[in-house]
Amino acid sequence: GLEASAWIGKVFQEVVTDLFGWLLDAAKHAVGQQIVLLGLKVEMGVGTSSWELDDRKAASWIQEIERVLNEDKLTPAEASKICGRLNFLNTYIFNRLGRALLRPLIWRQTQKFGSTFLTQRLRWSLTWFKVVLQRRLVRVIPLVKEMRSRHVIIYSDAESNGNIAAVAVTDS
């Protein structure tokens, strides 16, 4: 059960810490059918997995978009940060939803000179993504193979470009 998974996780942590000298971030450790992975709530069900943005992270991102809309300004650096986050969501939750609406943010992040005031396109794009974040979309992914009753340990990490790497440890 979960106790065995937690024990195996502790053994792995000791091996990694003692043998390799790596320090694992305790805040990024999770065990269970539902875990938070890089701000995404991932739940494994019978025949499906569901993915959604963590409530706390969603509220923070909505607040940031509202601030930009209220101030009517967006610097290239801010556009880059927001665009990276929304592109991450397009990859793991939204699929291709709103991909074209990232274009105004991409243009702003590559802008070298000029005004930082919001264009109409930027305002529409940010407003649309704010509403989508408020709707709390969930992506349900059917599993090709039926889940085993045995537990699997997954170790993951994110890269600065938004990709996720993961290793699954099973009994085989």
Side-chain angles (χ1 to χ4, degrees):
L2 285 179
E3 296 82 27
S5 298
W7 182 82
I8 292 169
K10 285 277 190 205
V11 169
F12 179 83
Q13 185 174 359
E14 291 296 321
V15 168
V16 167
T17 303
D18 293 342
L19 292 180
F20 299 121
W22 296 344
L23 183 61
L24 300 176
D25 188 346
K28 294 181 180 176
H29 177 262
V31 174
Q33 292 294 107
Q34 184 183 56
I35 61 172
V36 176
L37 174 68
L38 302 171
L40 298 177
K41 285 195 293 190
V42 180
E43 184 171 352
M44 301 303 291
V46 177
T48 63
S49 67
S50 62
W51 298 65
E52 67 179 298
L53 188 60
D54 179 58
D55 296 336
R56 192 172 41 89
K57 193 163 284 231
S60 170
W61 292 4
I62 290 167
Q63 184 179 19
E64 184 175 357
I65 290 173
E66 286 175 341
R67 179 192 56 77
V68 169
L69 290 169
N70 290 335
E71 292 177 1
D72 194 37
K73 289 187 178 182
L74 182 67
T75 67
E78 290 172 320
S80 179
K81 187 172 156 184
I82 292 172
C83 188
R85 289 174 174 172
L86 296 175
N87 192 41
F88 175 78
L89 290 179
N90 271 356
T91 301
Y92 295 101
I93 297 177
F94 301 162
N95 202 3
R96 293 177 171 213
L97 180 68
R99 192 171 64 162
L101 288 171
L102 286 175
R103 187 61 53 205
L105 288 163
I106 293 169
W107 290 332
R108 178 55 59 94
Q109 76 181 5
T110 59
Q111 176 182 319
K112 301 284 186 219
F113 306 102
S115 172
T116 59
F117 287 107
L118 294 181
T119 63
Q120 189 62 36
R121 283 185 176 182
L122 271 171
R123 183 167 288 286
W124 276 96
S125 174
L126 289 169
T127 301
W128 189 87
F129 276 112
K130 180 183 117 178
V131 170
V132 169
L133 286 168
Q134 290 170 330
R135 297 267 170 108
R136 312 294 297 129
L137 295 182
V138 176
R139 183 174 184 187
V140 177
I141 302 172
L143 300 173
V144 177
K145 294 176 92 177
E146 197 170 309
M147 288 295 293
R148 298 179 186 175
S149 60
R150 294 181 299 231
H151 291 98
V152 176
I153 299 173
I154 299 176
Y155 299 95
S156 64
D157 199 2
E159 297 180 14
S160 60
N161 61 9
N163 291 327
I164 295 177
V167 175
V169 180
T170 66
D171 59 354
S172 60

